[in-house]
Amino acid sequence: DAGITQSPRHKVTETGTPVTLRCHQTENHRYMYWYRQDPGHGLRLIHYSYGVKDTDKGEVSDGYSVSRSKTEDFLLTLESATSSQTSVYFCAINPGSGGGELFFGEGSRLTVL
Amino acid sequence: DAKTTQPTSMDCAEGRAANLPCNHSTISGNEYVYWYRQIHSQGPQYIIHGLKNNETNEMASLIITEDRKSSTLILPHATLRDTAVYYCIVPTLGRLYFGRGTQLTVWP
């Protein structure tokens, strides 16, 4: 157990509403990541963070924003959800110094109607 | 963009070794190769990584060719619970980009 939890685990919302997903870690690791996974696409990196208030974009960042005001929480926000953002969202933490060994959360399934 | 290519699917009999290949012909000298797997609906799980020497841990072995352009992940005695999608990844600027991986099916 890498001490990473995601909330909510399941959410159904309507187009145009704001949605925030939370990733919480108990280990105070510096690096955190948000991915989305869709059929036929594997996992795609949305945003990542390398410290408090330090974030950067991944390969599919349009329509998403993130915030990291404290080490343990990395929030992913959809300002105005669209049906194309229906997906499973995974958070990950890196216990090292930025290498490739990540630990993933259990995922948050978001459905936008 | 993923820097690796993997077969779309493979299968293996339970108890036999599963050998999953990966090509990474553009890998540079200081880049590691990482392997993950994802069992249905769960988050990906780290398996192993290596630079140029062969590596082994409790889950698997990683064989990297001498020219580093390809590698093979070996599950020595596959079980039904090893059925999963296996990803071979070469990080880009420290970020992991997952391709579509190899669907390994272990049959009884």
Side-chain angles (χ1 to χ4, degrees):
Chain A
D1 183 4
I4 178 171
T5 56
Q6 294 183 227
S7 60
R9 295 289 314 282
H10 300 273
K11 185 172 181 66
V12 179
T13 191
E14 294 188 348
T15 298
T17 60
V19 175
T20 295
L21 305 180
R22 179 185 184 228
C23 179
H24 178 78
Q25 59 152 327
T26 59
E27 304 293 331
N28 288 321
H29 295 306
R30 180 180 172 191
Y31 292 86
M32 300 183 75
Y33 308 79
W34 275 108
Y35 286 84
R36 63 178 285 176
Q37 184 168 35
D38 307 292
H41 284 280
L43 281 89
R44 292 182 290 175
L45 181 64
I46 306 172
H47 281 279
Y48 64 100
S49 170
Y50 42 95
V52 172
K53 297 185 179 180
D54 289 326
T55 64
D56 206 346
K57 297 178 180 180
E59 57 186 316
V60 288
S61 59
D62 288 347
Y64 301 94
S65 62
V66 290
S67 65
R68 186 137 179 237
S69 59
K70 47 186 179 178
T71 302
E72 58 265 36
D73 288 326
F74 191 32
L75 305 181
L76 177 70
T77 297
L78 292 65
E79 300 289 348
S80 178
T82 67
S83 59
S84 64
Q85 294 175 311
T86 293
S87 188
V88 179
Y89 292 86
F90 288 100
C91 175
I93 58 174
N94 186 322
S97 57
E101 186 175 346
L102 305 185
F103 292 94
F104 284 80
E106 296 180 326
S108 295
R109 182 174 295 276
L110 175 67
T111 301
V112 184
L113 302 176
Chain B
D1 291 330
K3 301 185 201 177
T4 63
T5 56
Q6 301 176 252
T8 301
S9 63
M10 297 183 66
D11 59 20
C12 174
E14 188 177 22
R16 304 298 295 270
N19 298 280
L20 294 101
C22 178
N23 288 321
H24 31 80
S25 58
T26 62
I27 195 170
S28 63
N30 61 349
E31 290 180 321
Y32 285 76
V33 179
Y34 287 80
W35 283 83
Y36 283 76
R37 74 179 183 183
Q38 186 174 24
I39 297 171
H40 182 62
S41 298
Q42 299 180 17
Q45 177 189 23
Y46 165 81
I47 301 173
I48 199 168
H49 72 280
L51 181 63
K52 55 182 179 180
N53 297 320
N54 298 338
E55 302 287 346
T56 296
N57 63 19
E58 65 279 4
M59 290 184 67
S61 295
L62 176 60
I63 308 297
I64 302 174
T65 58
E66 191 169 345
D67 63 7
R68 302 189 69 241
K69 293 184 177 181
S70 65
S71 60
T72 301
L73 179 75
I74 301 172
L75 309 178
H77 305 286
T79 71
L80 299 179
R81 289 176 293 181
D82 291 322
T83 291
V85 177
Y86 287 77
Y87 299 96
C88 169
I89 303 168
V90 175
T92 300
L93 298 176
R95 299 188 290 272
L96 271 65
Y97 295 98
F98 290 74
R100 299 190 180 185
T102 297
Q103 171 66 58
L104 174 68
T105 302
V106 181
W107 44 275

